[in-house]
Amino acid sequence: MKFLAAIGAATLGLLAAVGRVTLYAAQTLGHLVRPPFYFRELAIALLHIGWLSLPVVGLTAVFTGGALALQIYAGGARFNAEAVVPQIVAIGMVRELGPVLVGLMIAARVTSSIAAEIATMKVTEQIDALVTLSTHPMKYLTVPRVLAATLVVPLLVAVGDVIGIAGGWAVATGTLGFNPAAYLKNTMNFLEVRDVVSSLAKGGVFGFIAALMGCYFGMNSGRGAQGVGRATKGSVEAAAILILAANFVLTGVFFSL
Amino acid sequence: MITLEDVHKSFGSNHVLRGVDLHVPKGTSMVIIGGSGTGKSITIKAVLGLVTPDRGKITVDGTDITRADRDAFLARFGMLFQGGALFDSLPVWQNVAFRLLRGSLKRPREEARAIAVEKLRRVGLTEDVADRLPAELSGGMQKRVGLARAIAADPEIIFFDEPTTGLDPIMAGVINDLIREIVTEMGATAVTITHDMSSVRAIADNVAMLHEGVIKWTGPVADMDAAGDPYVDQFIHGRATGPIAAVR
Ligand SMILES: Nc1ncnc2c1ncn2[C@@H]1O[C@H](COP(=O)(O)OP(=O)(O)O)[C@@H](O)[C@H]1O
Ligand SMILES: [Mg+2]
């Protein structure tokens, strides 16, 4: 009985949390379309989330693309299919690894920093101060960050896709003996519009999730340094899990319907 | 004017406010005294709607604060937070001029900056702090920047949460004079929380003492010494023994 009660309580708790996050997302979208708009905050968020994430995205993608080429070559060799390296690297990067890795790097880099920043603002009464200065915290803090991430993460994913393919190309032509021009031609011919669209759409959804989780956990932070720590940890966990779950759903939507 | 009637607030099992009744007439200066942790900050946050009371009624000029138009309501207030609560991503002058740079009170940047510098001067800070970040200032300086921000838009009603804590005696005197001046010259209504008895005497028209979640005594500052109230007596003389337990 105790066991069942514990499962019941956990389920209810989870449902309540899902409800709160959904409500928060709906409120964010509601504020997104109603003035006032804080363009300066948006510009700063675009800079921090987009431009300053480029190095980490590029490095992640180039190593992953390179490793992918090596593995596909080794695996393909077992049934004389080494030649598919360009095609499989392209599909693997664009459909899955590009968006997922960029999403997870954004969760690590951006979600955590948003959560820690907003949670610190909360525990030092800066959020209360915003309210008394007639500024809605959701409009001033949440909307610019969520909007910026939703707009800019698809671009980061596009960059990651290209750099990942380039990493695969470099390894394949440098050490595996592929012809550089033929490799690129094979890549281009193989990729479909649907692959690219799904990649960018995933980027948008992951960016939304990453920034929303940072803001949600920051705004609901407990008191003191411990509260900030918990909020940061919780935000990254939630963002990573939601990104992976959303990836699964979106892959289903794009490729099995 | 501000009126609180039977305001209650608990955090879990911690019953902080247990029926606060308080009346602050327009254009007067009320000082709230009381031990630390008795709920003074919570009381003024309740008036601003930052904390929702569990029970009771709060009105400003006769209007229930829960019914008032939020933006118009908040535009009348200025608030100095106990910890300063400066925005650490913005330079000092943009903190002070926050209200003047956006929203309904928005004005040109140069003008907003000039007002910010003028308000900083009034709290005893020179123009060279204007472009620094809050983290580069000492605690007492941050407090004064918070004070400058609270008065930047010339609000009708101003709350000061421990304005002189952490300041040297001379600066405390400057701030006391400033608060008094804002009330007498600009006709603002002020509510100040303080532990500093010289501040109380310099700032207050009326004094209210909060203890155990209720207002134990309230009256004109001139009556405070002769009130004969054991709680007030113990507090203003800083005695370790008396009805207020030293361990709380
Ligand atoms: N957000 C909060 N959550 C839980 N307890 C709180 C919160 N804010 C204040 N308290 C508690 O309420 C009491 C009164 O706090 P406060 O009004 O800040 O006291 P003070 O009179 O020193 O200003 C304290 O015991 C404090 O721990
Ligand atoms: Mg306090």
Side-chain angles (χ1 to χ4, degrees):
Chain A
M1 265 325 274
K2 245 191 171 157
F3 179 66
L4 285 180
I7 290 183
T11 312
L12 285 180
L14 185 67
L15 284 177
V18 169
R20 279 196 300 273
V21 171
T22 311
L23 185 66
Y24 190 79
Q27 284 171 345
T28 303
L29 294 176
H31 285 295
L32 181 66
V33 294
R34 277 178 291 144
F37 306 111
Y38 296 104
F39 293 106
R40 196 173 159 273
E41 304 307 310
L42 179 66
I44 293 171
L46 285 170
L47 177 74
H48 279 272
I49 300 172
W51 183 247
L52 298 179
S53 295
L54 277 173
V56 73
V57 163
L59 287 170
T60 309
V62 74
F63 289 126
T64 307
L68 198 57
L70 289 175
Q71 291 287 18
I72 293 163
Y73 187 80
R78 292 191 205 162
F79 30 92
N80 298 322
E82 300 94 326
V84 297
V85 168
Q87 288 87 340
I88 305 294
V89 165
I91 262 207
M93 278 316 295
V94 173
R95 286 190 177 186
E96 292 296 328
L97 289 173
V100 168
L101 288 177
V102 170
L104 292 179
M105 291 318 284
I106 293 298
R109 187 182 178 277
V110 173
T111 307
S112 60
S113 96
I114 292 177
E117 183 183 6
I118 295 183
T120 304
M121 290 184 76
K122 169 118 192 236
V123 303
T124 55
E125 298 178 315
Q126 292 179 50
I127 305 282
D128 282 345
L130 271 183
V131 174
T132 63
L133 294 166
S134 308
T135 303
H136 201 300
M138 205 133 184
K139 285 191 196 299
Y140 185 73
L141 297 173
T142 307
V143 166
R145 286 167 174 76
V146 171
L147 181 61
T150 309
L151 292 175
V152 90
V153 173
L155 297 179
L156 290 173
V157 168
V159 170
D161 291 348
V162 170
I163 293 182
I165 289 172
W169 174 86
V171 168
T173 58
T175 67
L176 305 176
F178 279 79
N179 176 297
Y183 187 104
L184 283 185
K185 192 156 158 281
N186 283 338
T187 302
M188 287 305 180
N189 289 344
F190 194 73
L191 281 179
E192 295 173 5
V193 172
R194 185 168 63 159
D195 297 329
V196 177
V197 170
S198 79
S199 194
L200 301 182
K202 282 179 173 181
V205 172
F206 299 169
F208 180 82
I209 291 173
L212 190 80
M213 286 301 107
C215 294
Y216 175 80
F217 278 84
M219 289 285 188
N220 291 293
S221 157
R223 305 173 82 198
Q226 202 173 38
V228 177
R230 289 216 179 106
T232 309
K233 181 181 68 182
S235 72
V236 176
E237 284 173 353
I241 290 169
L242 284 177
I243 283 172
L244 293 172
N247 181 60
F248 176 68
V249 172
L250 288 172
T251 296
V253 168
F254 275 101
F255 297 106
S256 65
L257 292 182
Chain B
M1 83 200 139
I2 305 165
T3 307
L4 288 83
E5 281 170 44
D6 195 33
V7 171
H8 290 249
K9 179 72 192 177
S10 302
F11 294 99
S13 60
N14 181 8
H15 302 294
V16 182
L17 304 182
R18 306 176 194 176
V20 171
D21 294 299
L22 189 65
H23 180 70
V24 185
K26 202 180 180 76
T28 65
S29 170
M30 167 67 84
V31 171
I32 302 177
I33 57 175
S36 50
T38 49
K40 304 180 298 297
S41 298
I42 293 295
T43 304
I44 57 175
K45 283 186 181 177
V47 176
L48 287 166
L50 298 173
V51 166
T52 315
D54 302 329
R55 190 138 65 85
K57 188 171 162 187
I58 303 173
T59 59
V60 173
D61 290 342
T63 320
D64 194 315
I65 58 158
T66 55
R67 302 237 172 75
D69 169 57
R70 217 51 202 127
D71 282 343
F73 175 79
L74 287 169
R76 303 173 59 194
F77 282 88
M79 163 92 184
L80 165 65
F81 286 84
Q82 190 170 345
L86 301 179
F87 305 124
D88 38 33
S89 57
L90 298 177
V92 163
W93 80 267
Q94 288 185 26
N95 263 281
V96 175
F98 193 88
R99 257 210 170 125
L100 310 174
L101 290 168
R102 43 183 75 70
S104 55
L105 297 174
K106 184 170 173 154
R107 58 196 76 199
R109 255 176 114 75
E110 303 77 61
E111 198 184 324
R113 189 187 155 100
I115 295 173
V117 169
E118 154 65 15
K119 300 292 175 185
L120 285 170
R121 198 190 51 71
R122 293 196 69 183
V123 297
L125 292 168
T126 51
E127 182 165 3
D128 57 273
V129 302
D131 293 305
R132 288 206 242 159
L133 288 171
E136 298 166 33
L137 305 182
S138 74
M141 290 163 92
Q142 290 184 14
K143 197 81 181 231
R144 286 185 280 150
V145 174
L147 187 61
R149 183 175 69 183
I151 61 173
D154 300 324
E156 289 169 55
I157 306 167
I158 319 183
F159 293 161
F160 302 101
D161 197 343
E162 304 197 9
T164 57
T165 307
L167 301 188
D168 64 72
I170 298 167
M171 230 2 114
V174 170
I175 298 304
N176 288 338
D177 291 349
L178 173 67
I179 293 175
R180 194 62 242 176
E181 201 179 302
I182 289 169
V183 174
T184 45
E185 285 173 23
M186 290 156 60
T189 307
V191 178
T192 310
I193 293 171
T194 185
H195 298 291
D196 173 356
M197 292 318 294
S198 61
S199 255
V200 177
R201 291 175 207 284
I203 299 171
D205 292 317
N206 297 300
V207 178
M209 162 125 196
L210 185 63
H211 185 64
E212 289 176 337
V214 295
I215 301 291
K216 282 274 183 216
W217 182 83
T218 180
V221 64
D223 298 354
M224 185 173 67
D225 292 296
D229 183 280
Y231 293 91
V232 175
D233 265 359
Q234 187 190 349
F235 195 89
I236 61 182
H237 296 110
R239 284 194 284 263
T241 53
I244 306 174
V247 181
R248 272 168 276 145

